[in-house]
Amino acid sequence: MDFQVPSASLNAYIETRVDLEPVGQSPVVQIQLPSSGTFSRATHPQRRIVTSTAACQNEEVYTRSCLANAGSIYFSQSRRYPRSFLWRVLDNSKVLELRSLDLSKDGRESREATVILQLVFPSTIRKGCVALADDGNDVLSVFVLTKSNELFTLAVQTQVFCDVAASEVDLATWCNTFSPPTLRPCNPVRLVAGSPEQLVVTLDDGGILKLNRKSGQASTGPIWKDLACHGGSGILTSSLRGLIRWQGANSISYDGMVLDPSSAIAAELSPSRSHLVTVCANHTLKIWNLAKGNVVFSMDILGQEREPQDIPSVMLDAGNPEILRVIEADGTIEGDEYYIVTYSPHDAGQFKIWAVRDADQGNLGTRLLQSDATLRPPDPDSAVESKAIWKLVDFKLGRGRNDEGLGFWVLMRSSRRYKAYSMHFDLAGFHTGWSNTWASIAAGAFDQQPPPQMTSSDVRDAPELWLEYLLAPGRYSRTVLETALSSYCSTRKPRAPTDVTAALGERIFSAICAQVHSQQVKPIEENDTVFAQYRETMQQEWTLFYQEVQDLERLSWQALSLAFDDQSTMPWLLFTGGCAAIRECSRLELMVQNSSAVLREPTDRLEAPSIEDGPRPEPKLPHELAVLIQGAADFRESFSIDFTQTCNVWLSSELWQEPLHSVPKRIEDYYERCGFAEEISDAAITGLRESLAPLGDIEGLTTDLFLAVIKEMPHFMDTRSDILYSRFGRKILVKGGQQMIGLQTQILFDMLSLIVFVEIEVDKDLLPKSQLNTSAVFMALIEQLKWYKLMEWLAKTVWSESSESSKELDKEAVTDSRKEAGLTILETLFAAAVPPQSFRGQSQSASLTGTIQDLLVHTTGGNNEVTLGEVVVHVQCNLLLYNELDLAARFLSFQPSTPWATYIKGRYHLARGETTEAASCFQKAAYKMGTSPHRRYPVSLTCGQIAGKSTRNYYMAASGVLSPTEAGHFGQGLPFYYEHIYRLFQSASLPSYAAHFAQLALQVTRQSPSLESPTALLTALFHSSVQTSDIETAFTALTRLPRHDQTHLLPSLVKILLATPNGSKQLLDLPWPPHILPAIDAYLANDKPSQLKPSEKPSVSLEQQRKLLAAWRLRHGDFRGAAAALYSQMQQVKQKGTRRTGSVPRFKLPSEGDEVGSRRLDESYLTVINLMACIASEDSNTHEKRSEAWLLSAADGGKRRVVSIEDVRKGWQKELDRRSVVEGGKWGFGLGDGEEMELG
């Protein structure tokens, strides 16, 4: 029987690739291991921690330092985190790298296994001589054989991958070296670890070496006991055969050794670890009894009898050891202990399955199942004209899908291309399913996006387009871009940018611009020819840089090996610079990845919907939906790049602007703006009809068909789970989300383009509205595209490296893993809150796909818990919280016009200093935000936990932008809302806007007498008005306050009045309440107001203040007080005029200011005399016997005395006499204390 692989196999799985860059700020711990000769010395091994990604100088250095030449994934027997370990060999086979590759962990586990361990060996690691084992505890045993024939035994604590400090322990406690004496005359070929206590090494002379750990051995000295075995010779510790090597004609050169044809190039232990199963270079399957040390079974791996002279033609390549697997399967044939699966590349490549009942019974205990069956691997390129040569790289067996039978995974490679396949079968009847149950694994569409191309309609320039493409999260690793930049600069004129602290995108842009300018091409927009040449040169240079990136990228994604986790039923692909989780396709992905012809075949992966009785329409079958999806995609592929870009521009306008017309008019406008009539050719229409022929041409399109495709997109999520994603798991989740978002966005765009074309250009008689309601389909597609365009932005936008939170984060409102530079917003705000689907009843491969769909549902509102606008505001709040104003500006296009969104938009404008726009937004949102009660917000968008709805106020909805006090102002009435807005402007030092909103709050307070006292608002209005020198508003607010508050605030207003031009007049003219007058009088009478700071100068001089005090008292009829104020001022003027400075005698000389000073003094005397006369007149009316004024005179030592009008007149007369003497020339020397010496 010759079973062939079907040519149209089902694409049932899809890769989710990720690079192996450190996750976040994960450190890389490098430890230099000493050789056995240095352990006796008191030297400490070198240990250093690397926290940043360094650029490689060129492709050669990148290949050596970052790309593996061997590697695999080891899955521990333990169920504790971490339990999946990736190991790979780097740097010319001298470095062994270990890291955790777990997707999920227990919900109670707080540790993150992000530490990468790099062990640097003193000599080269041998090929095929790295093995890992564990006994279910927290110790990972790593065994490595080097070319110096040293065996390194490393007991690595799993805590090392979670905590850098755990790697600081003494190296001697976890690292041991041993040089087996048996390896002195021969060399190891393969190393197999059965457990931490048992190792087996295959030798280049055809023998094996058993290594058993010594019990109770101290940490120093050899810990292994070695025994050499050779086929029929029994156990030998040393022999002549081991000393003398014979080199025959059939010897094989491999890794610097010469292998005997009987050397085992592949080896695995039996499940009981009592036997060793090997495949030798001479195409022979052998089973060794390890206890006896002899071969108990030997046969050609294809089960054929071969003559000795035929052996050279079937010799196997020692460099491909993945040709043997030993499995212990459930549901085995009765009596079988385990099974052996071998692969031979000869005879067009064949698998054979061997059943072992009793290996020690030779041919009687081991038999070949279905010996007459030819079990060939799939042929990725079965075309007759193809010249590609495909080789099997690796294959794995494990539990089958849904825990039924066995899963068979195969990895094929041809040059740099690769293809992986899967098959699920039953050992008892595998011959019946070998040829018709194969499924292939498709590459993710996100990884296959073409580079950008400049179009005439593109408003963005080449650097913006290229940087967006190259720096898209998950597309290229930072190391690849850094190395490509270094290589680009080294081969061209511009040198590498010297500012290494600049962002990567800036350095790439600078280097390419330098190269363009070196060609003397300048962007002169006035000259169309020169500018076109500039654009072309710029595009060429970006293309050259892209080619550098692609060369490195191709090296990074060469397939190395295949891995399968039997516990979680999860397959993996390992590449030279990355890995890929293989997940099951969703229903929609199956429809996209497979043709309708393939989907017509019955499969359990696409169950046809049940047909129910009733008026509901007949459900659509998967292959019918595939025809629509493929037809719409073919139609879109006929578009030119310019047309596609134009459609995307007008689509954004259609999605995010408020509609002004009916749906048919909107469709017509979209059609005309995009230019469908000029773009769609007859050939495109013909191709569309051919694609839709299985449905009955364009006339076969129905509303239900389009809506059925939309229904296939995820709309509901399962939140029941007790596990969490690890950091690496979230990286895989987000990459899968990017794949699914990109795919489904493209499907929606394709169908939208198709429905617009059908509405305008197809005869309505051919498509009656009862069959195809284009308006309903158009609106359904538009609503879905809004969600997916939002998710597309979230998936490609990363947090900046320099942003910091604008306020202290509230732990209740903000999750722990919110913002981290370099991570996408989709991951931090949404993926972190989505738990993995449970593995119960499904494989992790299916669970991963289901969780990716859950992520999309959670991002789009979580089981319809919230609206699109609320999700948008949730994102915008987080952007504002972390001061990501540039990202917030780009995100404004998604902002809806709801009151809550308008308020947050106002917060954005306020953060940017755009005060007018902020005030406008706050005013628009006032009524709803002030009067609407708190609504119920889902916890999933606030606390980062998936749960049902819970009563949450705006505080939780704002994600930390609002404090609990601020949130309490919403929904309680307009006064509280306006007070909150006032405080926002006040904290932003914008008193004019603060005063405006305080006034608004007071206005609505008057209309709502049931509200609390407006004292706080009046106080706020007063302070804001004082800051803006709005005297009238401040006075009004002051007079409305209670008396005790007026007394406290009054000095602030008086101070501003004194400092304001024309403020003195306002002070006198304002209608002050009577109870305030004494306080103002006391303030003006105080020479040093208490409101002044020690270093602050008064706003008016003391002379001006006394004059104002007098005017104030006169205005209020206090003649005595006015006279007292001016009398004090008169004394100051008199002291300046007499020119005395103490008791030191000096000669008096007249000055130029005497005349001016005399006039001022005369005016003061006259004013005081007149005021005191008024006092006398007033007192006479009240029958008082005398009139007098009280004042505090500094000249009198601070003593109070009575001054009458006669005293003032006498003083003036004395002053006049003094002037007369001086004017007559009779003046003398001043002796101080009022004494003068007359002259002449």
Side-chain angles (χ1 to χ4, degrees), residues 443-449 472-475 735 738-739 742:
F446 181 81
D447 304 310
Q448 301 173 345
Q449 291 185 5
R475 176 163 287 128
K735 186 59 178 292
Q738 292 171 336
Q739 289 177 328

PDB file of all heavy atoms in Angstrom, residues 443-449 472-475 735 738-739 742:
ATOM      1  N   ALA A 443       1.412  30.430   7.638  1.00  0.00           N
ATOM      2  CA  ALA A 443       2.114  31.546   8.269  1.00  0.00           C
ATOM      3  C   ALA A 443       1.128  32.664   8.526  1.00  0.00           C
ATOM      4  O   ALA A 443       0.130  32.825   7.818  1.00  0.00           O
ATOM      5  CB  ALA A 443       3.253  32.028   7.380  1.00  0.00           C
ATOM      6  N   GLY A 444       1.382  33.457   9.547  1.00  0.00           N
ATOM      7  CA  GLY A 444       0.478  34.551   9.886  1.00  0.00           C
ATOM      8  C   GLY A 444       0.486  35.635   8.830  1.00  0.00           C
ATOM      9  O   GLY A 444       1.535  35.994   8.279  1.00  0.00           O
ATOM     10  N   ALA A 445      -0.699  36.194   8.513  1.00  0.00           N
ATOM     11  CA  ALA A 445      -0.796  37.232   7.487  1.00  0.00           C
ATOM     12  C   ALA A 445      -0.052  38.493   7.893  1.00  0.00           C
ATOM     13  O   ALA A 445       0.455  39.227   7.058  1.00  0.00           O
ATOM     14  CB  ALA A 445      -2.265  37.554   7.220  1.00  0.00           C
ATOM     15  N   PHE A 446       0.031  38.789   9.195  1.00  0.00           N
ATOM     16  CA  PHE A 446       0.719  39.999   9.660  1.00  0.00           C
ATOM     17  C   PHE A 446       2.192  39.965   9.274  1.00  0.00           C
ATOM     18  O   PHE A 446       2.799  40.998   9.020  1.00  0.00           O
ATOM     19  CB  PHE A 446       0.566  40.121  11.178  1.00  0.00           C
ATOM     20  CG  PHE A 446       1.226  41.340  11.763  1.00  0.00           C
ATOM     21  CD1 PHE A 446       0.603  42.566  11.709  1.00  0.00           C
ATOM     22  CD2 PHE A 446       2.477  41.260  12.357  1.00  0.00           C
ATOM     23  CE1 PHE A 446       1.200  43.689  12.249  1.00  0.00           C
ATOM     24  CE2 PHE A 446       3.081  42.380  12.894  1.00  0.00           C
ATOM     25  CZ  PHE A 446       2.436  43.598  12.837  1.00  0.00           C
ATOM     26  N   ASP A 447       2.779  38.760   9.238  1.00  0.00           N
ATOM     27  CA  ASP A 447       4.197  38.642   8.917  1.00  0.00           C
ATOM     28  C   ASP A 447       4.463  38.755   7.427  1.00  0.00           C
ATOM     29  O   ASP A 447       5.613  38.774   7.005  1.00  0.00           O
ATOM     30  CB  ASP A 447       4.735  37.302   9.425  1.00  0.00           C
ATOM     31  CG  ASP A 447       4.484  37.115  10.909  1.00  0.00           C
ATOM     32  OD1 ASP A 447       4.810  38.046  11.663  1.00  0.00           O
ATOM     33  OD2 ASP A 447       3.930  36.075  11.291  1.00  0.00           O
ATOM     34  N   GLN A 448       3.421  38.814   6.599  1.00  0.00           N
ATOM     35  CA  GLN A 448       3.595  38.810   5.163  1.00  0.00           C
ATOM     36  C   GLN A 448       3.163  40.114   4.513  1.00  0.00           C
ATOM     37  O   GLN A 448       2.989  40.183   3.307  1.00  0.00           O
ATOM     38  CB  GLN A 448       2.786  37.651   4.554  1.00  0.00           C
ATOM     39  CG  GLN A 448       3.195  36.287   5.094  1.00  0.00           C
ATOM     40  CD  GLN A 448       2.277  35.176   4.616  1.00  0.00           C
ATOM     41  OE1 GLN A 448       1.197  35.434   4.109  1.00  0.00           O
ATOM     42  NE2 GLN A 448       2.700  33.948   4.785  1.00  0.00           N
ATOM     43  N   GLN A 449       2.969  41.166   5.294  1.00  0.00           N
ATOM     44  CA  GLN A 449       2.532  42.435   4.721  1.00  0.00           C
ATOM     45  C   GLN A 449       3.639  43.048   3.889  1.00  0.00           C
ATOM     46  O   GLN A 449       4.800  43.080   4.299  1.00  0.00           O
ATOM     47  CB  GLN A 449       2.120  43.401   5.832  1.00  0.00           C
ATOM     48  CG  GLN A 449       0.848  42.997   6.557  1.00  0.00           C
ATOM     49  CD  GLN A 449       0.408  44.045   7.561  1.00  0.00           C
ATOM     50  OE1 GLN A 449       0.991  45.104   7.654  1.00  0.00           O
ATOM     51  NE2 GLN A 449      -0.634  43.740   8.308  1.00  0.00           N
ATOM     52  N   ALA A 472       6.643  49.013  13.361  1.00  0.00           N
ATOM     53  CA  ALA A 472       5.391  48.413  13.815  1.00  0.00           C
ATOM     54  C   ALA A 472       5.680  47.336  14.850  1.00  0.00           C
ATOM     55  O   ALA A 472       6.549  46.484  14.646  1.00  0.00           O
ATOM     56  CB  ALA A 472       4.629  47.817  12.631  1.00  0.00           C
ATOM     57  N   PRO A 473       4.998  47.349  15.993  1.00  0.00           N
ATOM     58  CA  PRO A 473       5.272  46.364  17.047  1.00  0.00           C
ATOM     59  C   PRO A 473       5.114  44.937  16.540  1.00  0.00           C
ATOM     60  O   PRO A 473       4.116  44.596  15.905  1.00  0.00           O
ATOM     61  CB  PRO A 473       4.215  46.685  18.113  1.00  0.00           C
ATOM     62  CG  PRO A 473       3.799  48.080  17.831  1.00  0.00           C
ATOM     63  CD  PRO A 473       3.912  48.278  16.365  1.00  0.00           C
ATOM     64  N   GLY A 474       6.134  44.118  16.810  1.00  0.00           N
ATOM     65  CA  GLY A 474       6.069  42.712  16.444  1.00  0.00           C
ATOM     66  C   GLY A 474       6.551  42.399  15.045  1.00  0.00           C
ATOM     67  O   GLY A 474       6.633  41.220  14.684  1.00  0.00           O
ATOM     68  N   ARG A 475       6.864  43.418  14.233  1.00  0.00           N
ATOM     69  CA  ARG A 475       7.291  43.116  12.862  1.00  0.00           C
ATOM     70  C   ARG A 475       8.783  42.798  12.803  1.00  0.00           C
ATOM     71  O   ARG A 475       9.181  41.770  12.271  1.00  0.00           O
ATOM     72  CB  ARG A 475       6.950  44.289  11.939  1.00  0.00           C
ATOM     73  CG  ARG A 475       7.455  44.077  10.516  1.00  0.00           C
ATOM     74  CD  ARG A 475       6.783  44.991   9.521  1.00  0.00           C
ATOM     75  NE  ARG A 475       5.414  44.565   9.273  1.00  0.00           N
ATOM     76  CZ  ARG A 475       4.363  45.358   9.358  1.00  0.00           C
ATOM     77  NH1 ARG A 475       4.516  46.620   9.716  1.00  0.00           N
ATOM     78  NH2 ARG A 475       3.149  44.914   9.112  1.00  0.00           N
ATOM     79  N   LYS A 735       0.547  39.340  19.648  1.00  0.00           N
ATOM     80  CA  LYS A 735       0.902  39.059  18.252  1.00  0.00           C
ATOM     81  C   LYS A 735      -0.250  38.342  17.554  1.00  0.00           C
ATOM     82  O   LYS A 735      -0.590  38.659  16.400  1.00  0.00           O
ATOM     83  CB  LYS A 735       2.176  38.212  18.197  1.00  0.00           C
ATOM     84  CG  LYS A 735       2.703  37.977  16.781  1.00  0.00           C
ATOM     85  CD  LYS A 735       3.021  39.292  16.099  1.00  0.00           C
ATOM     86  CE  LYS A 735       3.598  39.063  14.710  1.00  0.00           C
ATOM     87  NZ  LYS A 735       4.929  38.447  14.736  1.00  0.00           N
ATOM     88  N   GLN A 738      -2.822  40.904  16.776  1.00  0.00           N
ATOM     89  CA  GLN A 738      -2.467  41.683  15.590  1.00  0.00           C
ATOM     90  C   GLN A 738      -2.803  40.918  14.314  1.00  0.00           C
ATOM     91  O   GLN A 738      -3.321  41.499  13.347  1.00  0.00           O
ATOM     92  CB  GLN A 738      -0.979  42.033  15.621  1.00  0.00           C
ATOM     93  CG  GLN A 738      -0.597  43.015  16.713  1.00  0.00           C
ATOM     94  CD  GLN A 738       0.907  43.166  16.845  1.00  0.00           C
ATOM     95  OE1 GLN A 738       1.687  42.280  16.471  1.00  0.00           O
ATOM     96  NE2 GLN A 738       1.344  44.285  17.379  1.00  0.00           N
ATOM     97  N   GLN A 739      -2.517  39.622  14.312  1.00  0.00           N
ATOM     98  CA  GLN A 739      -2.858  38.810  13.155  1.00  0.00           C
ATOM     99  C   GLN A 739      -4.356  38.828  12.884  1.00  0.00           C
ATOM    100  O   GLN A 739      -4.808  39.076  11.752  1.00  0.00           O
ATOM    101  CB  GLN A 739      -2.396  37.363  13.373  1.00  0.00           C
ATOM    102  CG  GLN A 739      -0.898  37.143  13.341  1.00  0.00           C
ATOM    103  CD  GLN A 739      -0.539  35.710  13.641  1.00  0.00           C
ATOM    104  OE1 GLN A 739      -1.219  35.024  14.405  1.00  0.00           O
ATOM    105  NE2 GLN A 739       0.533  35.231  13.047  1.00  0.00           N
ATOM    106  N   GLY A 742      -5.761  42.358  11.896  1.00  0.00           N
ATOM    107  CA  GLY A 742      -5.416  42.706  10.516  1.00  0.00           C
ATOM    108  C   GLY A 742      -6.231  41.923   9.507  1.00  0.00           C
ATOM    109  O   GLY A 742      -6.713  42.471   8.507  1.00  0.00           O
TER     110      GLY A 742
END
